């Protein structure tokens, strides 16, 4: 079994998990979705999930490097949001805005920041005061949100009460504003926001941006928060399950490598060379009987008794007609057996079968009267 690291899968799940974490930080009123927060958190979570689903960088070095490069790009974009994050709120010269709530004292836009926003509860009535050095005639008002450093207008219009006045004041009910946003978007929007607004007129302009936080009643206080928590839990379980699977595959692969001996190239060569040797040995073993005739000369001692038989034969005994090479009757029988072994040894291919019976007829020529002369003569 091969190890199965998944760096690309880890990067994809890390991206979505990072976005969900940013949404939680946003909706819980911890930090607004500024560029540093969004790209920084997403890039870090991508790296963590990639490590969790890789665990052995040496196995997928190229893909891991590609993921690291993408995460580094997110980190680079996040660094460009540092000035926005640390600069805090601001307002144009000659303009002032102040508000207060049960969670924050009298505060102006310039006194707010991403880590210290103006906080207000859902049940608060927020009194506010705005002043300008120059009265505006027929001003145009705009308000919106800043997300990842991009201004997104939410409302644009004209308020006659801002025309020709230098000071305005009032009270804003947070719950009423929440209901208006719910009717417009269908969601109960809570959390930390980076807002901007302005008044534009021919007499002058007044621009401002500030950080505001409206924390929810609880961690599961809105349907949006519940959905984000559920999605975060699902992604976390999936990432953990994939990480466990990758870990098991790596351990199984290491265990198999430890128990299985590595292939020896010399052993492979030996087996490959021994295969052809086997058929070469088979013919040699089959031809082994061929040299067996070599011990054939061993029967040579057999003729040794022939000389002993030669003197025992009577001179008057006629040789058997079976011996074709020497038919002479007068010749002594002693030399007759001598050619017989030569005939048997010289031509091994002619007919070895008839050569064997030649000694058997020897008893036929020995008559009874020839036997007594042998006994009587004794030593001839």
């Amino acid at each position: 079994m091969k190890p199965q690291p998944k760096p690309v899968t880890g990067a994809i799940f890390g991206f979505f998990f990072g976005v969900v974490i940013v949404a939680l930080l946003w909706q819980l009123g911890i930090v607004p979705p500024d560029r540093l927060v969004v790209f920084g958190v997403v890039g870090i979570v991508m790296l963590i999930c990639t490590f969790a689903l890789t665990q052995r960088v040496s196995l997928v070095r190229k893909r891991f490097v590609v993921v690291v490069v993408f995460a580094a790009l997110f980190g680079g974009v996040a660094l460009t949001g540092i000035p926005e994050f640390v600069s805090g709120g601001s307002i144009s010269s000659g303009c002032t805005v102040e508000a207060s709530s049960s969670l924050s004292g009298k505060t102006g836009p310039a006194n707010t920041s991403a880590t210290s926003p103006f906080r207000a509860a859902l049940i608060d009535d927020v009194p506010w005061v705005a002043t300008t050095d120059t009265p505006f005639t027929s001003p145009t008002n705009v308000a919106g949100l800043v997300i990842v450093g991009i201004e997104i207008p939410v409302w644009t219009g004209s308020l006659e009460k801002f025309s020709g006045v230098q000071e305005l004041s009032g009270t804003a009910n947070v719950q009423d504003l929440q209901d208006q946003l719910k009717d417009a978007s269908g969601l109960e929007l809570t959390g930390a926001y980076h807002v901007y607004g302005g008044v534009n007129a021919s007499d002058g302009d007044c621009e401002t941006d500030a950080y505001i936080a409206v924390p929810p009643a609880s961690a599961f206080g809105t349907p949006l928060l519940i959905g984000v928590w559920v999605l975060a839990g699902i992604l976390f379980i999936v990432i953990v399950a994939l990480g466990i699977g990758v870990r098991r595959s790596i351990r199984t692969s290491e265990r198999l490598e430890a128990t299985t001996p590595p292939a020896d190239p010399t052993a492979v060569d030996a087996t490959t060379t021994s295969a052809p040797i086997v058929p070469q040995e088979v013919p040699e073993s089959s031809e082994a009987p061929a040299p067996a005739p070599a011990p054939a000369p061993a029967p040579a001692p057999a003729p040794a008794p022939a000389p002993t038989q030669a003197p025992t034969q009577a001179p008057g005994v006629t040789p058997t007609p079976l011996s074709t090479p020497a038919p002479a009757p007068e010749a002594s029988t002693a030399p007759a057996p001598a050619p017989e072994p030569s005939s048997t040894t010289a031509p091994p291919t002619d007919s070895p079968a008839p050569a064997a019976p030649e000694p058997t007829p020897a008893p036929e020529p020995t008559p009874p009267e020839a036997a007594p002369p042998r006994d009587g003569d004794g030593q001839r």
Side-chain angles (χ1 to χ4, degrees), residues 24-358:
L24 283 175
L25 296 175
W26 174 13
Q27 291 300 306
L28 290 174
I30 299 174
V31 289
D34 281 346
R35 185 178 301 171
L36 176 63
V37 175
V38 174
F39 286 92
V41 171
V42 171
I44 292 173
V45 175
M46 281 179 61
L47 280 179
I48 294 174
C49 293
T50 301
F51 274 110
L53 270 64
T54 302
Q55 302 183 21
R56 289 292 187 276
V57 178
S58 59
L59 299 175
V60 284
R61 192 179 302 277
K62 293 182 180 179
R63 284 181 288 172
F64 185 82
V65 170
V66 171
V67 173
V68 171
V69 169
F70 274 100
L73 291 177
F74 276 83
V77 176
L79 293 177
T80 63
I82 292 179
E84 173 194 6
F85 190 81
V86 300
S87 62
S90 64
I91 190 170
S92 301
S93 176
C95 303
T96 61
V97 176
E98 291 181 345
S100 60
S101 68
S102 63
L103 301 178
S104 297
K106 186 177 289 187
T107 306
N111 297 325
T112 62
S113 64
T115 57
S116 179
F118 174 79
R119 295 182 179 275
L122 287 172
I123 59 175
D124 281 350
D125 291 325
V126 179
W128 57 272
V129 177
T131 63
T132 61
D133 292 342
T134 303
F136 295 147
T137 304
S138 300
T140 300
N141 307 95
V142 62
L145 301 175
V146 180
I147 299 177
V148 295
I150 301 174
E151 295 182 352
I152 302 174
V154 176
W155 176 83
T156 303
S158 179
L159 296 176
E160 292 299 331
K161 63 181 180 179
F162 280 99
S163 179
V165 298
Q166 290 180 283
E167 181 177 341
L168 286 175
S169 62
T171 301
N173 184 271
V174 178
Q175 187 63 55
D176 292 341
L177 295 175
Q178 181 76 290
D179 294 339
Q180 293 177 7
L181 291 173
K182 184 178 180 180
D183 294 338
S185 62
L187 299 173
E188 297 180 7
L189 299 178
T190 59
Y193 297 92
H194 185 185
V195 299
Y196 76 97
V199 179
N200 302 319
S202 58
D203 303 324
D205 298 328
C206 185
E207 304 290 342
T208 183
D209 69 282
Y211 289 90
I212 300 174
V214 181
S218 64
F220 301 91
T222 64
L224 180 60
L225 271 173
I226 294 174
V228 174
W229 276 115
V230 171
L231 185 58
I234 293 173
L235 288 174
F236 180 77
I237 292 172
V238 171
I239 292 171
V240 170
L242 290 175
I244 293 174
V246 171
R247 184 60 180 170
R248 285 181 178 176
S249 67
I250 293 175
R251 286 185 176 179
T252 304
S253 177
E254 292 177 349
R255 191 180 301 111
L256 291 176
E257 290 180 358
T259 56
T260 304
D264 188 1
T266 57
V268 173
D269 295 340
T271 55
T272 53
T273 53
S274 62
I277 290 174
V278 172
Q280 292 179 357
E281 292 178 357
V282 170
E284 290 178 0
S285 61
S286 61
E287 292 178 0
T308 58
Q309 292 178 359
T312 57
Q313 292 179 354
V317 176
T318 58
T320 60
L322 295 174
S323 60
T324 54
E330 298 298 330
S332 173
T333 57
E340 288 177 3
S342 64
S343 61
T344 56
T345 55
T349 57
D350 294 344
S351 58
E358 288 183 357

